[in-house]
């Protein structure tokens, strides 16, 4: 299976899930986005790694792992998002020490937080991106085209979800036809409502499987 390289597009805060964020990964040689719901701590850790000027007074957990790895000459070579089951992404960290390569299982959020600290590339398999990737069909403005993709990812967060968290959490899409789901998916993507888009995407995958 061929690998597809990903970059981090940004992080969005969810009003529908307390303490939840959506990490948006972008296909390097394409237009698809891969939204992944992560926790607040991991979102903070990733944001701090992206914002190079932010220096925590004491190391965060992922910084501690980086310091530990540096001390014992362990290198993180790459991260691979290798599996998607029931909307949950599974990842592996490819490490090397003394020219011996090891593969370590990890949560995707942790793996990406470490990849940033080691300047390691992030990949997924083409079949996962085919299944879970979302096309963004919006024409970006000139300002967006000229801006760095990782600048200020949390200073102006892309808020998503309904103002009524109860309604949003209980919303179901199983009763919709495939065409209706695709219409709703396109609408959610255009509104940059990535959390909703991810739920609709998962329902489409269920119906098409």
């Amino acid at each position: 299976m061929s690998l597809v390289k990903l970059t981090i597009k940004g992080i969005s805060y969810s009003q529908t899930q307390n303490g939840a964020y959506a990490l948006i990964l972008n296909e390097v040689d394409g237009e698809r986005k891969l939204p992944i719901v992560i926790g607040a701590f991991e979102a903070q850790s990733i944001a701090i790694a992206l914002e190079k000027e932010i220096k925590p007074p004491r190391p965060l957990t992922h910084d501690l792992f980086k310091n530990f790895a540096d001390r014992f000459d362990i290198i993180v070579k790459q991260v691979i998002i290798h599996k998607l089951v029931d909307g949950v992404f599974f990842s592996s960290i490819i490490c090397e020490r003394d020219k011996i390569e090891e593969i370590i299982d990890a949560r995707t959020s942790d793996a990406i937080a470490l990849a940033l600290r080691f300047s390691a590339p992030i990949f997924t398999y083409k079949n996962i991106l085919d299944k879970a990737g979302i096309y963004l069909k919006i024409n970006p403005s000139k300002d967006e085209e000229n801006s760095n993709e990782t600048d200020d990812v949390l200073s102006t967060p892309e808020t998503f979800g309904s103002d009524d968290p109860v309604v949003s959490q209980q919303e179901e899409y199983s009763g919709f036809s495939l065409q209706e789901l695709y219409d709703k998916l396109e609408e959610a993507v255009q509104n940059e409502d990535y959390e909703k888009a991810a739920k609709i995407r998962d329902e489409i995958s269920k119906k098409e499987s």
Side-chain angles (χ1 to χ4, degrees):
M1 291 183 289
S2 59
L3 289 172
V4 179
K5 190 174 183 179
L6 304 170
T7 59
I8 297 176
K9 175 68 176 177
I11 302 174
S12 301
Y13 178 66
S14 171
Q15 290 184 340
T16 65
Q17 296 185 37
N18 290 334
Y21 290 77
L23 172 65
I24 313 301
L25 302 177
N26 190 75
E27 181 182 17
V28 170
D29 297 320
E31 300 179 353
R32 286 176 291 185
K33 306 289 185 290
L34 194 65
I36 301 174
V37 177
I38 63 176
F41 171 78
E42 292 79 11
Q44 179 190 51
S45 182
I46 290 171
I48 288 175
L50 289 171
E51 300 289 346
K52 304 298 183 183
E53 296 181 359
I54 299 177
K55 300 290 185 182
R58 303 188 69 186
L60 301 177
T61 301
H62 297 110
D63 297 320
L64 176 62
F65 184 95
K66 174 68 163 58
N67 295 339
F68 182 90
D70 289 343
R71 183 67 59 90
F72 291 94
D73 297 321
I74 300 170
I75 301 171
V76 172
K77 297 178 63 178
Q78 63 183 9
V79 163
I80 300 177
I81 304 171
H82 63 84
K83 186 168 65 173
L84 173 62
V85 178
D86 296 330
V88 178
F89 293 88
F90 293 77
S91 295
S92 295
I93 300 174
I94 314 302
C95 302
E96 184 178 278
R97 182 173 183 267
D98 295 333
K99 296 183 179 181
I100 298 175
E101 190 173 275
E102 299 286 349
I103 301 175
I104 300 175
D105 182 44
R107 295 188 306 169
T108 298
S109 55
D110 290 328
I112 291 175
L114 291 174
L116 286 170
R117 285 162 171 80
F118 283 89
S119 298
I122 303 166
F123 296 93
T124 191
Y125 289 110
K126 183 178 180 298
N127 66 321
I128 292 178
L129 196 57
D130 289 340
K131 181 179 180 181
I134 295 173
Y135 278 101
L136 187 61
K137 298 180 180 180
I138 301 175
N139 294 324
S141 66
K142 291 183 180 180
D143 290 339
E144 291 172 337
E145 288 176 344
N146 294 330
S147 65
N148 188 307
E149 286 189 342
T150 61
D151 284 347
D152 301 325
V153 291
L154 284 184
S155 60
T156 54
E158 298 171 333
T159 302
F160 56 90
S162 168
D163 291 333
D164 186 343
V166 175
V167 173
S168 296
Q169 290 174 350
Q170 294 178 344
E171 191 169 48
E172 297 289 342
Y173 299 102
S174 59
F176 291 101
S177 67
L178 269 176
Q179 184 57 53
E180 289 173 329
L181 288 171
Y182 275 113
D183 290 342
K184 288 183 176 295
L185 176 60
E186 183 174 356
E187 179 184 356
V189 170
Q190 291 193 13
N191 290 332
E192 298 187 4
D193 189 344
Y194 293 110
E195 183 191 31
K196 183 177 181 180
K199 292 178 181 178
I200 298 171
R201 174 203 65 199
D202 293 342
E203 185 61 35
I204 290 174
S205 297
K206 290 178 183 178
K207 287 183 178 292
E208 290 185 336
S209 62

